[in-house]
Amino acid sequence: MIGLMSGTSADGVDAALIDINGADPPSVRLMASVHHPFATELRYEILAACDPGNASVDRLCVLQTALAIVYARAVQDVSTQAGLDLRMIDAIGCHGQTVWHQPTPVRIGDTEVRGTLQLASPATLAALTDVPVISDFRTADMAAGGEGAPLVPFADYILFSCATETRAIQNIGGIANVTYLPKNGRTEEIIAFDTGPGNMVIDETVRVVTGGSRTYDEGGDMAFAGTPDRELVDTLMEQTPFFRRSPPKSTGREVFGRSFVHDSFLPACAKRTLNDVDCVATATWLTACSIADAYRRFLPLLPDVIIFGGGGARNRRLIDMLMAALPGVRMARHQDYGIPDEAKEAMAFGILAHATIMGRPSNIPSATGARYPAILGSLTPSPSQPVFPWAGRSCTNRTTNV
């Protein structure tokens, strides 16, 4: 199976080719992974699509095809790196590019509705690779009454659960989210939710204060040079309802995107006469503080170890702040457990795709708030396989190259 993931940071697509055997839980082996950065023009198109003030239906229409073309190149490259012909791949699990996530109801006419939108044309991807595609994972959970996120806890349980220690798997992408795995726990005991902003506020702040010459704080260098305004962060956290909401909960650019930075965060920084590096340091502390606060508010006990992943794991200042905010908790990274940081989220959607073709639910209702376990994703056949190759087979002993 090949898993594809491009996150809310919109910096590129990760592809992971994995081999899965067995069930309950399956064994997973990473065979190859690649990262394809998005071209600058494509990234700007994605970010514009995420902004209700700039998005247009004509650009959204063609953006999903453009993304599928980039994804297809990543699929070909990861297959080549693994030395496998694409004909040996059973399916592609494609998350798509989230442009809007609306877990809280809005009214249309006399009906309150929720929704989520991830772009990437599965038909285009299947046509270009001649591999069946599973996509649109989040909507089945939302149809079951869930938030549609987080979905990665199912994979976190398979990859990281442990009989002897309690682990928190902390992803720091555009949005930060945690999966809490009690030692020797069952899936019903998993706690998982979005903690708040990850790199999203930091990246936009860096872009603004540098006049666009930088798009992120590499290694946390700007934050190291500044001093965070902790009082300002305390005020912002008190004024933002998301931080006080109990799980299950999820969020995205609709709460912590461009409007939050330009309408709330940067004006507050200006009012307190913070300089550029102090603004970046304060945005970094907002991420660290919101993660630590979420652990203390919503987890039954602090974990024995926090295992970090995502781009934020490479921000040394952010990790230093988290170590100070959560003293006594051991810190590690995905790669310490044999999983490259850049591959883990893509691996997760390969694992979710495998569950789908096996006919197994892969949401965690305790994490998403869904009323029942749901089989996730929509299936798109490839040109040479108009009927899925696994159709009619027993799921009991199914082995796939994912």
Side-chain angles (χ1 to χ4, degrees):
M1 301 282 288
I2 292 175
L4 296 172
M5 178 65 186
S6 52
T8 49
S9 292
D11 56 354
V13 58
D14 296 311
L17 194 155
I18 59 177
D19 180 65
I20 301 184
N21 290 281
D24 300 326
S27 64
V28 179
R29 179 172 64 95
L30 177 66
M31 300 179 69
S33 65
V34 299
H35 174 75
H36 271 221
F38 289 144
T40 300
E41 296 82 359
L42 179 58
R43 185 169 192 265
Y44 286 156
E45 287 280 355
I46 293 168
L47 294 178
C50 297
D51 182 353
N54 291 318
S56 62
V57 68
D58 58 331
R59 304 307 292 177
L60 285 171
C61 179
V62 294
L63 180 56
Q64 71 163 349
T65 304
L67 285 163
I69 293 169
V70 174
Y71 289 0
R73 293 172 186 154
V75 167
Q76 182 63 65
D77 284 356
V78 77
S79 179
T80 300
Q81 186 184 110
L84 291 179
D85 190 285
L86 283 176
R87 288 172 295 183
M88 298 181 67
I89 307 302
D90 282 338
I92 297 167
C94 177
H95 172 267
Q97 178 65 54
T98 297
V99 293
W100 198 256
H101 184 63
Q102 187 68 45
T104 54
V106 296
R107 182 167 289 278
I108 295 182
D110 60 356
T111 306
E112 286 195 336
V113 294
R114 304 174 308 133
T116 188
L117 181 60
Q118 288 75 42
L119 295 184
S121 165
T124 301
L125 182 57
L128 291 173
T129 61
D130 201 16
V131 178
V133 175
I134 295 97
S135 61
D136 196 24
F137 288 90
R138 299 192 183 276
T139 53
D141 182 80
M142 297 191 85
E147 296 252 330
L151 297 184
V152 172
F154 179 81
D156 285 338
Y157 179 78
I158 291 171
L159 296 172
F160 292 106
S161 58
C162 179
T164 59
E165 65 179 9
T166 295
R167 296 173 172 177
I169 316 304
Q170 181 68 54
N171 179 61
I172 308 177
I175 293 297
N177 48 71
V178 63
T179 301
Y180 182 79
L181 302 171
K183 64 180 178 182
N184 204 29
R186 300 165 299 166
T187 55
E188 295 82 2
E189 299 174 90
I190 293 173
I191 300 171
F193 56 93
D194 289 351
T195 57
N199 305 311
M200 191 174 286
V201 175
I202 301 170
D203 289 353
E204 180 65 10
T205 300
V206 168
R207 190 191 68 80
V208 171
V209 302
T210 65
S213 65
R214 298 188 190 182
T215 57
Y216 67 100
D217 185 14
E218 185 171 1
D221 290 347
M222 293 183 72
F224 271 121
T227 301
D229 188 329
R230 294 170 185 256
E231 184 178 333
L232 172 55
V233 167
D234 289 344
T235 300
L236 287 170
M237 290 190 62
E238 181 61 32
Q239 292 175 345
T240 307
F242 175 82
F243 294 121
R244 299 190 302 275
R245 261 183 62 201
S246 296
K249 61 178 181 176
S250 59
T251 190
R253 290 188 181 276
E254 70 281 359
V255 177
F256 294 109
R258 190 176 186 276
S259 61
F260 176 85
V261 175
H262 289 262
D263 299 341
S264 298
F265 181 75
L266 287 177
C269 290
K271 187 175 181 180
R272 296 174 70 86
T273 64
L274 302 188
N275 63 31
D276 290 350
V277 291
D278 288 349
C279 289
V280 176
T282 301
T284 306
W285 176 242
L286 175 62
T287 292
C289 185
S290 60
I291 292 171
D293 180 72
Y295 280 30
R296 292 196 167 94
R297 281 181 190 251
F298 304 124
L299 299 183
L301 294 169
L302 288 179
D304 298 308
V305 59
I306 301 173
I307 304 172
F308 291 102
R314 296 188 290 273
N315 185 322
R316 299 186 308 275
R317 183 61 176 135
L318 175 56
I319 301 304
D320 285 352
M321 287 177 170
L322 281 162
M323 291 175 70
L326 294 167
V329 179
R330 195 166 82 254
M331 307 281 174
R333 289 177 63 173
H334 291 152
Q335 60 198 32
D336 298 323
Y337 295 82
I339 297 174
D341 287 340
E342 64 275 9
K344 186 259 187 166
E345 297 283 302
M347 289 177 68
F349 281 90
I351 292 168
L352 291 174
H354 174 263
T356 298
I357 67 175
M358 299 286 282
R360 293 194 177 97
S362 57
N363 64 337
I364 304 290
S366 62
T368 66
R371 293 185 299 273
Y372 53 83
I375 298 172
L376 305 180
S378 300
L379 283 66
T380 302
S382 62
S384 68
Q385 297 179 14
V387 176
F388 284 94
W390 52 83
R393 297 189 193 177
S394 168
C395 292
T396 306
N397 297 307
R398 173 79 175 142
T399 299
T400 65
N401 294 312
V402 183

